[in-house]
Amino acid sequence: MSVTAPLGFRAAGVAAGLKSGAQRDLALVVNDGPSRAAAGVFTANRVQAAPVLWSRQVLAGGRVTAVVLNSGGANACTGPEGFQDTHATAEKAAGLLGESAGEVAVCSTGLIGERLPMDALLAGVESAAGRLSRDGGLHAADAIRTTDTVSKISFRRGDGYMVGGMAKGAGMLAPGLATMLCVITTDADVPADRLDAVLRAATAVTFDRLDTDGCMSTNDTVLLLASGAAGVTPAEAEFAEKVTEVCADLARQLLVDAEGATKAVAIEVIGAATVADAVTVGRAVARSNLFKCAVHGEDPNWGRVLSAVGTTDAVFEPERVNVAINGIWICRGGAAGDDRSKVDLRPRDVTVTIDLSAGSESATIHTTDLTAAYVHENSAYST
């Protein structure tokens, strides 16, 4: 049900000592081929971690043999030494596998600004290489967790091939092309350029529309690896559909496990002049702390929605905007609508519909409520 569901992949997850206790904190995913085609998308943050800089170079070649992932440290803002540490990680994995370091991607997650304990990490890579198996996907998914309370895995079956995936992320979920760490695998035979197009399209409507706290990570990475082991080249539309379904499933799992969240909120923007306008409006509402607090307090405060919409450059006339919360149109024509007491905000899932009455385009942004638990967890993160 994870990255090892498709043929041609092995994985492992071990405790290398990067995190306290005996928690798994290092994962290794290996593509045994026959194809090594790969694509990746990365954070749009201008401050990028050493593993992102390294893996961008690797993915430029369109081939990935293995991915080393660690939790317990982001290796971000660590200078030239941090980049050397990433290079050493790739070299270690490549040596153990008899492959080229230039085809080993590296992903890290955790506290920013501190170098990784390389003796422990390299020993962990060696341990993981010795435990690689077709059954190792679940342990690998567990090893990349930070504040995640559960592992995130997904799987879809196509016509003669499979797509599997794992992801981590519970905070800093405001992506630009990616969200936190995610590895997707397939045993379909698909060239790198097609993988790239499919992955970018899939992330644009899934991970890119997940915005729980408005904070973009320095380490966001999504990789798509194809082994070709099934010997099937799928129809382009079907393959794109399966990859998008895996991304959407993982994004939903990230949302419901977001730090401190008690509500999963879908902000549906309809009647927009363009898709870009719909995304802009949805993201503005998703990032409104006042709105998120109201949702947590189960208060259907449509004024906070409208005020957030008004901060954007989207095309709309204020007197034509309508807002519904869980199906009750409590704002009509930019003013009070149906009785707000009819809105039931007790369920975990909340849907806010914003009709801009400016066109025919739409988009949905997913977010959460803002809770005291989120504040507490992030005020004490480094300790």
Side-chain angles (χ1 to χ4, degrees):
M1 295 296 293
S2 183
V3 290
T4 52
L7 300 173
F9 292 93
R10 293 176 295 150
V14 301
L18 308 180
K19 296 193 293 193
S20 60
Q23 303 176 74
R24 295 186 184 93
D25 50 22
L26 187 138
L28 178 60
V29 179
V30 173
N31 181 357
D32 290 319
S35 174
R36 302 291 175 68
V41 289
F42 302 90
T43 181
N45 196 319
R46 292 172 61 193
V47 178
Q48 298 186 0
V52 169
L53 298 174
W54 170 268
S55 295
R56 280 188 184 276
Q57 295 178 7
V58 171
L59 268 298
R63 287 173 55 91
V64 170
T65 299
V67 186
V68 181
L69 309 96
N70 74 270
S71 53
N75 193 11
C77 305
T78 48
E81 295 81 6
F83 189 83
Q84 291 169 10
D85 290 343
T86 296
H87 189 181
T89 301
E91 289 282 4
K92 179 69 173 181
L96 293 165
L97 298 171
E99 302 288 350
S100 166
E103 294 184 5
V104 177
V106 180
C107 304
S108 300
T109 181
L111 189 64
I112 294 171
E114 295 184 0
R115 290 183 65 188
L116 293 166
M118 289 305 294
D119 289 345
L121 189 147
L122 296 180
V125 173
E126 186 166 354
S127 175
R131 300 185 187 186
L132 287 167
S133 75
R134 292 273 295 132
D135 299 323
L138 293 179
H139 285 174
D142 178 57
I144 62 176
R145 294 191 298 134
T146 50
T147 58
D148 307 66
T149 64
V150 295
S151 301
K152 284 92 172 176
I153 59 174
S154 186
F155 168 78
R156 291 293 187 276
R157 187 181 299 275
D159 186 7
Y161 67 96
M162 293 178 283
V163 178
M166 68 178 187
K168 64 80 52 185
M172 295 188 80
L173 297 181
L177 290 181
T179 183
M180 304 310 292
L181 302 185
C182 176
V183 177
I184 303 168
T185 59
T186 182
D187 50 14
D189 188 7
V190 182
D193 58 346
R194 187 172 159 202
L195 292 176
D196 184 74
V198 167
L199 183 60
R200 290 183 185 278
T203 56
V205 296
T206 57
F207 296 127
D208 265 3
R209 295 187 182 178
L210 176 64
D211 199 327
T212 68
D213 58 11
C215 298
M216 183 187 295
S217 170
T218 56
N219 292 59
D220 293 348
T221 301
V222 178
L223 302 177
L224 175 56
L225 317 181
S227 69
V232 173
T233 299
E236 186 170 344
E238 186 203 39
F239 181 65
E241 178 184 14
K242 298 304 176 185
V243 172
T244 302
E245 287 178 358
V246 167
C247 289
D249 184 20
L250 291 171
R252 170 69 182 179
Q253 293 179 52
L254 296 175
L255 177 71
V256 298
D257 194 35
E259 293 170 347
T262 65
K263 306 287 187 185
V265 186
I267 303 170
E268 300 176 340
V269 182
I270 63 176
T274 64
V275 172
D277 275 3
V279 170
T280 296
V281 167
R283 200 175 295 283
V285 176
R287 293 182 176 183
S288 166
N289 286 338
L290 286 175
F291 162 74
K292 291 160 73 73
C293 288
V295 172
H296 179 61
E298 299 180 355
D299 174 15
N301 192 325
W302 59 267
R304 294 181 178 179
V305 176
L306 216 58
S307 65
V309 173
T311 66
T312 73
D313 60 0
V315 175
F316 71 92
E317 296 297 332
E319 64 273 13
R320 299 188 63 195
V321 176
N322 307 305
V323 177
I325 299 180
N326 282 353
I328 307 298
W329 290 94
I330 53 177
C331 170
R332 294 180 183 273
D338 297 351
D339 185 356
R340 54 182 282 162
S341 66
K342 296 179 181 179
V343 179
D344 183 4
L345 283 173
R346 290 173 297 176
R348 180 180 180 88
D349 289 319
V350 175
T351 301
V352 178
T353 306
I354 304 165
D355 182 2
L356 296 179
S357 300
S360 59
E361 301 295 341
S362 63
T364 301
I365 301 295
H366 297 275
T367 191
T368 61
D369 55 345
L370 179 58
T371 68
Y374 174 88
V375 175
H376 173 74
E377 184 159 342
N378 284 281
S379 67
Y381 181 74
S382 64
T383 56

